[in-house]
Amino acid sequence: MALKTLVVNAGKCTGCRTCEMACSLVHENKCSPQLSRVRVIKWEAQGISVPATCANCTTPYCMLVCPAGAVSVQAETGALIMDESKCIGCRACSTVCPLGQAIYHPEKRVAIKCDLCGGDPACAKFCPSGALEYTTVDQSLMARRRQFYKKVIEGGEH
Amino acid sequence: MYGWNGKRLRVDLTTGKITVESIDAKFRKMWLGGRGFNSALLYQEVGPEIDPFDAENRLIFGVGPLTGTFSPSSGRTTITSKSPLQYPCGFGDANMGGHWGPELKYAGYDQLVIQGKAEKPVYLWIDDDRVEIRDAGHIWGKTLSETDAIIKEELKDPDIHIAAIGPAGENLVRFACVINDVSRAAGRTGMGAVMGSKKLKAVAVRGTRPVNLARPKEFFEECAKVREKMKADIMVQMLYDQGTWLLTMPANYEQGWFCWRNFQAGFHPEADKLRGERHRDHYLAHREGCFACSISCGRFSKIPGGKYAGEKTGGPEYETLTAVGPRLGILDIEAVIHNSLLVNEYGMDSCSLGGAIGWAMDCWEKGLLTSADTGGLSLEWGDQETVDKLIKMIVYREGLGNILAEGSYRSALHFNRGFEYTMTVKGNDMSQDDPRGLGFAFGIGFGTGRRGGDHLQGLPCLELTGQFYPGLVEKILGTAEAESRLSPVKKPEMQKYQEEVKAVGDCLTMCTFSHSWSFAVLPEDMARILSACTGVDYTVEDLLKIGGRIATLERAFWNRLLVGRLEDTVPERFTGEPMPVGPNKGTVFPFEELRPLYYKVRGWDEATGFPLDEVLAEYGLDELVEELAPYRRAYLEKMG
């Protein structure tokens, strides 16, 4: 079976930041946007919000650059796992991440990152609008195509 | 500490002194958070002699133990002050969603108290424990979106959250509001005018601290369970889909409480021009969620073509779309969105703006205002050009606008006529909800509530949507008959129950739509979530008692101003004019029958409308027994 991944449907995001709260609570037992692996970027005056999260890349710069060997791939989920006990806090991973991920725990002073919650990511589970989904890339693209062609068939605006 | 921060930030704008006080366990236990914290502090610190625009008035921002957590829809903020709008000026509070409240929580505070007055315009910058009063000379006069952009640029952080006033607040328009995140308003009772009187343009906040939880695993599970319930809830789903616009069709065609022409009627045959599907399909740019909300009823609208092409704004929601639309005889959806953009940018409460202009149009129709009074303006119902012009005249206090900026009631005082067309209670304009159709528990709240004419005293939706929750109304009130909107059965009891639940929700800063429109969140859910969060165990009874205590204290605030039974009225239109058209044709609201029954269940004295001594004692407000006694005597004298 194809690996699932976190898919971002930016147009659906309501900017509520439930994902931030779910993530921080599940991973850190506290509620704090700063401790959340996913963050919502907001442009209030435009009414636009986008959840920014780790893509768990195929060629993971964070893993390649880590001098402490703290990042490894979890085979079952494809998640890149940060071993906080190995992390030396150099933030090389954040420096090279093209998406601005591999965040920094302000108290522990180590890098922390999305681990897909072991295959049931809380951010997607509690996202009220479907902006964050845990699915395969193929299924998510098929859903978008279906939505597009439904409009074409119905002759509506698109 | 878990849940709360236990800290109050106090800023004196006269002296520039900034202090942090502790909020002790006893205060937390009595008043819970948010609205409770604020009302208690206002009662203590703002006596009856203080005028709303005095330096000594307080402007209080409050959040609660669940603010900024995973608890669903719990990121709101209450702003409390003595209100400049009511007549006489009395208890004011307003509640806003958005993301400002959680940011204050992360900065380490449960409450922010502003007192004194700055000499020249300033704004407050709260960066965790670094708090700074900064010059706002260059922002004074700017609209909400301009203010937000300039401050974010100046502080070099686009992720801070800003609560601000617009030109209406600066110009002391008595129904000016405070808005955060550009379009989330704390609308009612003129909190923005108080802020303007203090020369405080904005409060910008950045917080980096976590909210600690007593029992995090349990807290997560309780919140997750409630979120699942909300996801499956029909009201939540409808609110997500159409926002509060969903109300237009049932309000008009089924229930007859659509606000047409300043409440002249509760029905209009073409109300469907403002139906939710039409907005969703043609004007909805995005759905908006307040902090950690699993409903996301918020709208962001964009006008694709026509005269107002390209305009976009947060909202409007049902109260605004009706206030700046049908209340003024306007059914053009694009005009409605345009007007709501104006009220957001200038920072005004749409309900009281609609109340003021609606009053003037009503008076014009009756010949009570003529062009000699209006400076040549003709005030025909539905004239969008005039409305557009008048909104700006009110904000900048020009001509007739300078009078209407005082609110509808003071406008009637100015001209000494048209009182019967001010749709106000205690001087505060009715929100766009006609008790001749909406329901009788709602009506009791309009007549007796803390703000004056407003639906948010309890939002007693048990009589509106309760029927969608089989067995719920019967379980709470002992009879399913109370499900019927226009039945008087158990309505005083319903209003009491709902105002207590709502007061608790406002302390937790949990959205009323989650627990009293949708009933997905029940008081037992609140108790479980709150207990796991704070480590202090609460029962439903504990919570309802806190709710009752808050309602009682807010009543005492009014009583100290010698406001009681005589001032508990609703506009004559509701009690004296049978609904002329629509599904409730012929209905009047029997306020005088229900009021004494409500007093009885609330424990208020029938003669004066003051809380009885034994009720004060029961709520642990013993010191109020002695304090209120002279005011009760004075009120009896006033009554003759």
Side-chain angles (χ1 to χ4, degrees):
Chain A
M1 197 185 131
L3 276 185
K4 288 184 178 183
T5 188
L6 269 180
V7 172
V8 176
N9 300 306
K12 288 187 181 176
C13 181
T14 68
C16 74
R17 299 160 75 201
T18 296
C19 51
E20 296 182 6
M21 291 296 102
C23 179
S24 125
L25 181 52
V26 164
H27 291 96
E28 305 289 342
N29 284 326
K30 293 175 180 183
C31 286
S32 165
Q34 313 248 327
L35 299 177
S36 170
R37 282 74 173 147
V38 55
R39 292 294 288 277
V40 177
I41 317 296
K42 293 171 78 76
W43 288 267
E44 286 91 355
Q46 275 74 44
I48 293 172
S49 304
V50 184
T53 188
C54 171
N56 288 294
C57 302
T58 315
T59 303
Y61 288 2
C62 56
M63 186 166 90
L64 296 173
V65 79
C66 178
V71 184
S72 60
V73 185
Q74 186 181 53
E76 311 86 74
T77 59
L80 297 157
I81 307 293
M82 178 69 68
D83 185 339
E84 290 176 27
S85 67
K86 285 187 186 168
C87 174
I88 59 169
C90 71
R91 289 177 282 115
C93 48
S94 314
T95 308
V96 296
C97 177
L99 303 181
Q101 293 295 326
I103 61 160
Y104 188 66
H105 195 299
E107 282 154 28
K108 296 184 196 162
R109 302 180 66 206
V110 292
I112 50 178
K113 72 172 293 301
C114 172
D115 59 359
L116 295 174
C117 295
D120 185 17
C123 55
K125 191 170 172 180
F126 294 101
C127 176
S129 65
L132 279 168
E133 261 186 304
Y134 190 55
T135 182
T136 66
V137 173
D138 185 59
Q139 276 180 309
S140 107
L141 291 180
M142 281 304 282
R144 283 194 209 179
R145 290 168 192 158
R146 186 173 294 275
Q147 200 182 6
F148 175 77
Y149 285 104
K150 185 167 179 266
K151 282 182 187 165
V152 174
I153 288 163
E154 287 169 358
E157 295 166 53
H158 51 83
Chain B
M1 194 178 303
Y2 302 110
W4 298 280
N5 285 309
K7 282 186 186 158
R8 171 187 302 132
L9 175 64
R10 190 184 291 269
V11 177
D12 188 322
L13 293 174
T14 305
T15 62
K17 197 173 157 206
I18 295 165
T19 45
V20 178
E21 301 160 7
S22 85
I23 299 177
D24 63 27
K26 188 181 168 217
F27 191 84
R28 297 198 301 268
K29 191 168 181 229
M30 290 275 287
W31 305 108
L32 196 54
R35 174 172 149 200
F37 279 8
N38 288 6
S39 294
L41 200 75
L42 189 78
Y43 189 90
Q44 280 172 21
E45 299 191 2
V46 179
E49 72 289 356
I50 295 171
D51 183 81
F53 293 146
D54 281 352
E56 276 307 297
N57 192 14
R58 305 289 194 259
L59 182 71
I60 314 171
F61 298 72
V63 295
L66 301 181
T67 315
T69 73
F70 185 51
S71 175
S73 313
S74 305
R76 301 184 67 87
T77 307
T78 293
I79 307 179
T80 308
S81 187
K82 187 166 180 184
S83 163
L85 178 66
Q86 298 142 339
Y87 197 86
C89 295
F91 183 88
D93 78 0
N95 185 281
M96 64 188 183
H99 294 248
W100 187 92
E103 204 68 23
L104 184 73
K105 186 80 177 280
Y106 299 141
Y109 313 101
D110 300 324
Q111 219 178 13
L112 163 66
V113 183
I114 309 285
Q115 61 195 66
K117 267 185 193 187
E119 261 176 42
K120 51 186 185 16
V122 294
Y123 76 93
L124 193 65
W125 168 219
I126 302 172
D127 184 8
D128 284 337
D129 41 18
R130 199 169 58 90
V131 181
E132 215 184 309
I133 299 168
R134 295 174 66 105
D135 175 52
H138 57 306
I139 323 170
W140 204 249
K142 302 290 184 194
T143 65
L144 261 298
S145 63
E146 289 165 350
T147 302
D148 195 81
I150 295 169
I151 294 178
K152 282 176 175 171
E153 175 72 29
E154 186 168 303
L155 299 174
K156 301 195 176 7
D157 188 345
D159 293 312
I160 58 177
H161 294 277
I162 298 164
I165 56 169
E170 297 169 10
N171 297 333
L172 307 186
V173 172
R174 282 184 188 262
F175 44 87
C177 66
V178 180
I179 289 185
N180 83 101
D181 285 356
V182 183
S183 63
R184 304 302 315 191
R188 306 239 59 199
T189 66
M191 299 296 97
V194 175
M195 193 155 153
S197 77
K198 298 190 176 304
K199 291 253 185 316
L200 179 65
K201 178 67 178 172
V203 182
V205 189
R206 176 167 61 200
T208 65
R209 297 193 177 94
V211 178
N212 294 313
L213 304 159
R215 304 193 289 268
K217 296 277 180 281
E218 181 188 325
F219 178 73
F220 174 77
E221 275 154 31
E222 293 298 344
C223 293
K225 263 192 272 176
V226 175
R227 283 179 178 277
E228 287 303 321
K229 267 207 286 179
M230 291 176 79
K231 207 173 200 171
D233 184 271
I234 177 76
M235 290 299 144
V236 169
Q237 291 166 2
M238 288 166 72
L239 278 165
Y240 175 78
D241 181 45
Q242 289 185 28
T244 49
W245 285 78
L246 74 87
L247 288 171
T248 305
M249 296 302 278
N252 186 70
Y253 296 97
E254 292 163 32
Q255 298 163 354
W257 53 274
F258 187 70
C259 179
W260 179 248
R261 291 187 177 174
N262 203 32
F263 296 98
Q264 287 185 6
F267 171 84
H268 189 277
E270 291 171 49
D272 64 341
K273 286 181 172 168
L274 298 174
R275 70 189 179 279
E277 292 92 339
R278 182 166 183 229
H279 177 264
R280 180 195 62 198
D281 295 343
H282 301 284
Y283 299 95
L284 177 66
H286 294 283
R287 291 181 170 86
E288 291 273 293
C290 296
F291 187 89
C293 184
S294 42
I295 305 174
S296 294
C297 71
R299 307 288 98 173
F300 197 91
S301 303
K302 192 173 172 186
I303 306 175
K307 187 175 169 190
Y308 303 118
E311 289 189 356
K312 53 189 175 180
T313 182
E317 322 304 339
Y318 184 76
E319 292 298 345
T320 293
L321 79 94
T322 45
V324 299
R327 187 167 187 163
L328 312 179
I330 295 168
L331 288 171
D332 173 353
I333 194 168
E334 292 175 5
V336 162
I337 296 170
H338 167 78
N339 293 346
S340 81
L341 168 67
L342 296 184
V343 297
N344 279 346
E345 285 293 346
Y346 294 132
M348 277 183 293
D349 172 32
S350 50
C351 298
S352 287
L353 174 80
I357 300 179
W359 170 81
M361 288 181 156
D362 223 343
C363 288
W364 178 268
E365 183 191 65
K366 306 293 186 300
L368 294 171
L369 288 182
T370 63
S371 58
D373 305 307
T374 65
L377 272 183
S378 121
L379 302 180
E380 298 296 336
W381 291 115
D383 179 352
Q384 167 60 13
E385 238 171 84
T386 300
V387 169
D388 190 317
K389 206 181 291 174
L390 256 183
I391 290 176
K392 290 160 195 165
M393 288 169 66
I394 288 170
V395 173
Y396 294 104
R397 287 185 164 274
E398 295 158 3
L400 177 65
N402 191 33
I403 298 159
L404 296 180
E406 294 289 293
S408 63
Y409 193 83
R410 282 180 179 76
S411 297
L413 281 172
H414 172 89
F415 290 110
N416 196 26
R417 53 187 185 269
F419 288 95
E420 62 276 40
Y421 304 113
T422 70
M423 301 301 288
T424 60
V425 179
K426 301 180 180 70
N428 184 22
D429 302 86
M430 282 292 306
S431 50
Q432 288 60 236
D433 311 295
D434 192 324
R436 291 173 294 180
L438 179 57
F440 290 173
F442 271 98
I444 296 169
F446 296 142
T448 60
R450 71 194 188 285
R451 288 178 178 171
D454 184 83
H455 57 302
L456 293 171
Q457 177 61 16
L459 202 77
C461 282
L462 281 174
E463 66 178 353
L464 199 64
T465 58
Q467 57 187 298
F468 290 95
Y469 300 83
L472 182 67
V473 172
E474 190 170 0
K475 188 181 152 211
I476 294 168
L477 294 163
T479 167
E481 263 185 84
E483 282 177 2
S484 165
R485 292 174 294 118
L486 305 182
S487 154
V489 174
K490 292 279 178 190
K491 290 307 165 69
E493 289 83 354
M494 178 185 284
Q495 175 58 19
K496 173 177 185 282
Y497 171 80
Q498 292 245 255
E499 69 189 4
E500 289 172 0
V501 174
K502 168 129 178 72
V504 172
D506 290 346
C507 290
L508 304 177
T509 79
M510 192 178 257
C511 179
T512 311
F513 292 176
S514 71
H515 59 72
S516 297
W517 174 336
S518 156
F519 289 88
V521 182
L522 295 170
E524 42 266 46
D525 298 313
M526 294 179 181
R528 280 195 296 264
I529 291 175
L530 179 63
S531 303
C533 172
T534 59
V536 182
D537 288 320
Y538 287 90
T539 63
V540 170
E541 292 69 37
D542 296 335
L543 290 182
L544 293 181
K545 191 164 180 181
I546 292 170
R549 178 181 299 133
I550 293 166
T552 305
L553 184 81
E554 290 163 349
R555 180 66 175 183
F557 187 91
W558 276 112
N559 294 153
R560 269 196 326 200
L561 295 157
L562 302 187
V563 170
R565 177 174 68 78
L566 296 180
E567 292 75 20
D568 282 349
T569 58
V570 292
E572 225 178 280
R573 215 163 233 172
F574 300 151
T575 53
E577 286 180 26
M579 179 61 82
V581 285
N584 307 316
K585 192 173 170 183
T587 307
V588 289
F589 169 50
F591 182 63
E592 274 310 316
E593 285 165 41
L594 292 168
R595 187 197 47 73
L597 301 174
Y598 171 76
Y599 277 18
K600 208 164 183 181
V601 298
R602 193 73 273 175
W604 293 354
D605 172 35
E606 170 52 28
T608 59
F610 281 44
L612 297 167
D613 288 351
E614 61 262 34
V615 172
L616 291 170
E618 192 188 307
Y619 283 126
L621 300 171
D622 305 74
E623 71 276 12
L624 263 65
V625 173
E626 207 175 314
E627 209 216 326
L628 283 183
Y631 294 104
R632 184 183 284 115
R633 281 194 296 276
Y635 193 68
L636 281 165
E637 266 172 48
K638 176 181 165 182
M639 292 172 73

